[in-house]
Amino acid sequence: MKETPSDWLALAGLQLSPFATLIVTLGVMLLLLALLHGVLHYGVLRMLRGRMRNDRFLFIKLVGHSSLFRYAAMLVQGLALGLLTRLWVPPSSVHEGLLGFSRIWMLVYTILAFFAFLDIVLDWCFRKQVAVQFPLKGIVQSLKIVASIACVIFIVSVLIGQSPVILISGLGAMTAVLMLIFKDPILGLVAGIQLSANNMLSIGDWLEMPKYNADGAVIDIGLTTVKVRNWDNTVTTVPTYSLISDSFKNWRAMSESGGRRIKRAILIDVNSIKFITESQMQRLTKSRLLSQYILDKSREVEEYNQSRSEDLSSALNGRRLTNIGTFRAYLEVYLRNHPHIHRNMTLLVRQMAPATTGVPIEIYAFTTTVVWAEYERIQSDLFDHIFAVVGEFDLRVFQEPSGYDMAALKPAIAGNVNTNTNIDNDDNTNRSA
């Protein structure tokens, strides 16, 4: 048999009006709820959090740092309010109002506790690198949206006193409106699933998407947006669905391959290209990298010329070594012996089509590192050496005339002007005579 505050008042010999009895009952309920709040929040929760935050398991530690227990404690208070209302408050409008309030209270803190649990799971997955290829954040955000819609439906049903089934059945007529409102989340969810299913993008990948000025590391994949931290530390936000509808470049394969491509050309002045003389050949043979090539190539050229009885007194007859060809051979041997050039990847030294800027000799190779700073250092050191040795082959690097070149011509131009002036003066003198 249950006892209520009105029974306690009757046992104490106090006869109060129903309104006064209700006030006393509500006061006792409020006092008990405040006491329960103090015990849960300042006793139980502090003890649990203190132990969990020092636990060796990451998941338990994350729970201790989250708001999950706080929302759970508020949910218990809502349950206590509903129980006390059913036990102590007689059927009336106040009874129904308190029950409705407790139900809404429990719905709100249930959904908040659910959100906190999802955040814990998401944080744990990111820290443990579990299922990073899936759009976990987008999935979690989708679950939160669905749960929020369900919570709103239940709250409205409590306020109007109708079954939530009636409200859910009435949503069928609003499907088109809901599709319009939630178009971006739906497209983002579908795009996230496609990105993860095809392993197209994950957090940490280097993304390049010129349409959105995105060129950097992916730091967040959300339901509707993807955040990219660019190389200059700015952040670009890209719509998730655009990664499916538009093209983008993912540098992950380059990072996983272990080599980063060098593709750069050096421009050779056409006027400096010529055949190698005997003295030049003897000088280049002293190079450790070139000696074997020159010996083998010279033997091949000599055998070819002898087999055809070529008259070598004319440069138009027979085969000869050229300085640009020997330069290409040197670069290839140099790259193959370079400690920071990948030997198991494509390595080319090729001559491109000549243009107004000279003959391009292109270096196509891969470094043994993918770290940007190290890659740039290796590439710079490589071309420092190439520019320094190009003169050893009697070649010149093409460069358009600069202000310094124009200044060097000034004395010659001034001398020509003075000579012409003297000639004109002599002519005038002779005519006068």
Side-chain angles (χ1 to χ4, degrees):
M1 183 176 180
K2 61 182 181 180
E3 293 184 355
T4 64
S6 60
D7 297 330
W8 303 340
L9 293 174
L11 291 175
L14 297 175
Q15 298 295 329
L16 300 178
S17 63
F19 179 75
T21 302
L22 178 61
I23 296 299
V24 173
T25 301
L26 294 178
V28 173
M29 290 172 58
L30 181 62
L31 181 62
L32 290 176
L33 291 175
L35 180 62
L36 178 62
H37 179 86
V39 171
L40 291 177
H41 288 269
Y42 299 101
V44 178
L45 289 187
R46 284 190 175 182
M47 180 184 66
L48 288 176
R49 283 180 174 175
R51 292 184 176 182
M52 286 186 165
R53 289 177 179 178
N54 297 322
D55 198 275
R56 62 189 183 92
F57 293 104
L58 178 61
F59 189 84
I60 297 178
K61 187 179 296 185
L62 292 176
V63 172
H65 284 85
S66 70
S67 301
L68 178 61
F69 282 158
R70 182 165 63 88
Y71 295 142
M74 299 299 290
L75 176 61
V76 171
Q77 292 176 237
L79 288 170
L81 175 61
L83 180 62
L84 292 176
T85 301
R86 291 179 183 277
L87 293 177
W88 289 355
V89 179
S92 61
S93 59
V94 176
H95 177 89
E96 296 299 328
L98 288 176
L99 282 181
F101 178 75
S102 66
R103 289 168 184 163
I104 294 175
W105 180 288
M106 288 187 290
L107 284 171
V108 170
Y109 282 101
T110 298
I111 198 69
L112 291 177
F114 179 64
F115 288 173
F117 177 75
L118 290 178
D119 291 337
I120 293 171
V121 173
L122 183 63
D123 194 8
W124 182 82
C125 289
F126 282 153
R127 295 195 184 195
K128 286 291 186 178
Q129 295 295 307
V130 176
V132 292
Q133 71 274 15
F134 293 102
L136 295 178
K137 188 170 184 179
I139 294 174
V140 167
Q141 290 175 334
S142 301
L143 291 175
K144 287 183 178 181
I145 291 176
V146 174
S148 300
I149 294 174
C151 181
V152 171
I153 291 174
F154 280 105
I155 290 176
V156 173
S157 67
V158 170
L159 293 175
I160 65 177
Q162 298 291 334
S163 172
V165 178
I166 299 175
L167 294 176
I168 294 174
S169 61
L171 291 177
M174 299 181 62
T175 302
V177 178
L178 291 176
M179 291 290 290
L180 181 62
I181 295 174
F182 296 104
K183 181 189 70 172
D184 291 337
I186 292 173
L187 291 176
L189 177 61
V190 174
I193 294 174
Q194 290 179 329
L195 289 173
S196 62
N198 298 318
N199 196 21
M200 297 169 62
L201 190 70
S202 59
I203 293 179
D205 290 352
W206 191 277
L207 171 70
E208 185 176 344
M209 204 170 186
K211 180 178 178 180
Y212 294 94
N213 293 323
D215 186 9
V218 177
I219 59 175
D220 183 46
I221 302 177
L223 181 60
T224 57
T225 58
V226 173
K227 292 182 180 179
V228 179
R229 184 179 297 279
N230 298 315
W231 57 270
D232 57 355
N233 284 332
T234 59
V235 176
T236 300
T237 302
V238 180
T240 306
Y241 184 70
S242 65
L243 298 174
I244 299 299
S245 59
D246 298 327
S247 63
F248 66 92
K249 182 185 291 186
N250 190 344
W251 291 82
R252 184 204 310 167
M254 182 274 295
S255 300
E256 294 175 349
S257 68
R260 188 163 183 170
R261 186 185 70 176
I262 295 176
K263 186 175 182 293
R264 184 184 291 182
I266 179 172
L267 302 176
I268 302 297
D269 191 343
V270 178
N271 296 320
S272 65
I273 299 175
K274 58 186 177 181
F275 294 122
I276 293 181
T277 62
E278 288 294 333
S279 59
Q280 290 174 333
M281 190 177 300
Q282 292 176 2
R283 177 168 53 84
L284 293 175
T285 307
K286 297 179 181 179
S287 169
R288 177 179 57 85
L289 299 177
L290 267 181
S291 58
Q292 190 62 43
Y293 167 79
I294 292 179
L295 291 175
D296 293 340
K297 202 69 176 177
S298 298
R299 188 180 302 112
E300 177 187 340
V301 169
E302 185 178 356
E303 292 176 355
Y304 175 85
N305 292 333
Q306 289 179 357
S307 65
R308 293 177 175 266
S309 301
E310 296 286 356
D311 181 12
L312 300 181
S313 61
S314 173
L316 301 179
N317 296 329
R319 292 175 57 186
R320 288 176 172 82
L321 295 181
T322 61
N323 57 352
I324 192 170
T326 308
F327 177 62
R328 284 193 294 107
Y330 169 80
L331 292 182
E332 185 171 348
V333 177
Y334 175 75
L335 291 174
R336 293 193 183 279
N337 288 273
H338 198 286
H340 298 297
I341 297 298
H342 212 298
R343 293 180 176 85
N344 298 325
M345 293 186 175
T346 304
L347 194 155
L348 292 174
V349 179
R350 57 177 181 170
Q351 182 182 131
M352 309 291 287
T356 56
T357 54
V359 180
I361 301 296
E362 186 181 74
I363 307 297
Y364 191 101
F366 289 83
T367 61
T368 55
T369 180
V370 297
V371 179
W372 188 12
E374 296 180 9
Y375 161 80
E376 292 293 348
R377 178 183 58 80
I378 294 170
Q379 183 174 233
S380 299
D381 290 344
L382 179 63
F383 277 87
D384 287 348
H385 178 78
I386 293 174
F387 283 117
V389 301
V390 68
E392 295 295 321
F393 297 86
D394 291 336
L395 292 169
R396 291 191 302 272
V397 178
F398 181 87
Q399 179 175 293
E400 294 183 355
S402 63
Y404 179 81
D405 299 322
M406 298 302 179
L409 295 175
K410 185 176 179 181
I413 296 174
N416 290 335
V417 170
N418 292 332
T419 302
N420 293 333
T421 302
N422 292 333
I423 293 173
D424 291 341
N425 292 334
D426 292 341
D427 289 342
N428 293 332
T429 302
N430 294 330
R431 289 173 184 174
S432 298

